[in-house]
Amino acid sequence: MRFDYNRMKSTGSSQSTSSQHQDDFCDYLKAALQNALKLTTGDYGDYAVTTSSQGVTVVPYYPVDRPIDYSFYTDIYKVLVVAAYPYYTVLKPSGLQLVPIKSDLYQRRRGLFFPWLKGVPKRRVLSPDKYAEDIARAVSSKSMQIPLMESFSMDLEHTTHIAISGQSGSGKSYLVRYFLPYLLSMGDLTLIDPKADDLLLWAKSDQCTAIRRNTGRTPNVEYPDLLGKSGTFLSEVSETLSREVHIMYQREDTYSKTGKRPFGHRFIVIDELLALTQGGQKVDVNNFFANLSSLALLGRSAKMHLILISQRFSSDAMPTSIRDQLQAVFQLGPITKTSTQFLFPDFDSEGVIPPRGKGTGICQVQGDVIPYPRPFLSPTYTDE
């Protein structure tokens, strides 16, 4: 069977023509699977392929000549993810997805489901004017949406805590700087940057609240003395978080008495989380994680958000109890079993083909219509 790729590009076709194209695509995917995996054909041991807007289903006709397990599921995925490209982006769930099939035959009542997205993910490319317009629109509309890619946004009304991970140079700071104007338009913003580098420079230019040594919060950034004792800066950060925890408890008290939440959102951005605690005095490290845990566990009802950035989120960078509270996670750079083990502990990266380029990887956002990790491309800018 020969598949006509050009027919998939046609638009304005009749319903019957569209159905024919879909049948052709199913036949094409079945042929790709049979050739790559040497699947049996015939009355028994055969396979059918069906598609919908949500994904593709491979239906084995029992009896089959191999176990239907996650290993076989992964083998099918590795064929489909390439064969369906660029018409669809096939996503990989954390486990085998078995769905019931309507049939009068016992042998054909179950199928292996693979979710997909139509087309390929597209990066947002913004001019300075377009970016400024987006921020102005967010301010005027009081929107809690941050556009992430074309046709994909993150709603901070329902997403409380965010983590961004990736090796040095993967684009973490670049992505955070894209977030900052949106966050500032939505509420109060506190920035903590142990490097006294990218984020604090942005804060100074935008008069954003940041840490000031010995006097807490101020709209004028002053850089901490990073040449002093290793625990000094961490102690200052912990004091800042302690004040945020106090505000959180005040808000909870207000809600318990009135049943209302008459307060705005507060965002706490912490860069280089792993470096922040390394070498710190034990009492400062314990106080820091105690305050961070309180904000992670109780912050949602008080509209308190954490945005955490680190090269990795291992247990020495962040306790598991905090990781469990994350609603949006971004892994930038190479997608491997090692790189995804902390933010995507159940995700099997075998066969996954992430997008190319800087600031790319995978992400998963709570409330997304697709409850699986999806390919991600950070927004970027043009000079025009």
Side-chain angles (χ1 to χ4, degrees), residues 44-181:
Y44 296 103
D46 200 357
Y47 294 79
V49 176
T50 63
T51 62
S52 69
S53 59
Q54 286 76 40
V56 54
T57 303
V58 177
V59 183
Y61 294 174
Y62 273 78
V64 293
D65 58 357
R66 69 189 72 198
I68 304 297
D69 55 14
Y70 186 68
S71 176
F72 183 53
Y73 185 84
T74 299
D75 289 341
I76 295 177
Y77 167 81
K78 288 190 288 186
V79 176
L80 292 177
V81 70
V82 177
Y85 184 91
Y87 306 108
Y88 296 93
T89 298
V90 182
L91 306 177
K92 190 176 186 183
S94 300
L96 185 150
Q97 301 290 300
L98 193 65
V99 295
I101 301 297
K102 292 182 179 180
S103 174
D104 294 331
L105 300 176
Y106 298 124
Q107 297 88 344
R108 306 182 184 187
R109 290 298 309 276
R110 75 237 14 108
L112 302 175
F113 177 72
F114 299 83
W116 65 17
L117 300 170
K118 190 171 183 179
V120 296
K122 294 183 179 180
R123 189 194 299 266
R124 293 196 82 211
V125 180
L126 303 168
S127 66
D129 289 344
K130 172 60 175 167
Y131 188 39
E133 290 174 5
D134 282 0
I135 301 302
R137 189 179 303 110
V139 172
S140 62
S141 65
K142 298 182 180 180
S143 172
M144 295 297 292
Q145 298 270 349
I146 297 182
L148 297 176
M149 295 185 292
E150 295 295 333
S151 304
F152 179 49
S153 298
M154 176 171 60
D155 186 356
L156 293 190
E157 197 69 64
H158 306 291
T159 302
T160 308
H161 306 309
I162 301 169
I164 303 172
S165 181
Q167 62 189 20
S168 180
S170 60
K172 300 187 301 296
S173 295
Y174 193 85
L175 177 59
V176 174
R177 286 199 303 273
Y178 169 79
F179 286 167
L180 291 180

Side-chain angles (χ1 to χ4, degrees), residues 183-218:
L183 300 180
L184 193 59
S185 75
M186 298 172 184
D188 294 326
L189 178 59
T190 296
L191 300 180
I192 299 171
D193 185 0
K195 298 180 299 182
D197 193 5
D198 296 342
L199 299 189
L200 288 187
L201 288 174
W202 181 91
K204 191 171 185 178
S205 65
D206 279 71
Q207 294 296 291
C208 174
T209 303
I211 297 176
R212 175 172 174 166
R213 184 150 295 286
N214 297 326
T215 56
R217 298 162 60 85
T218 175

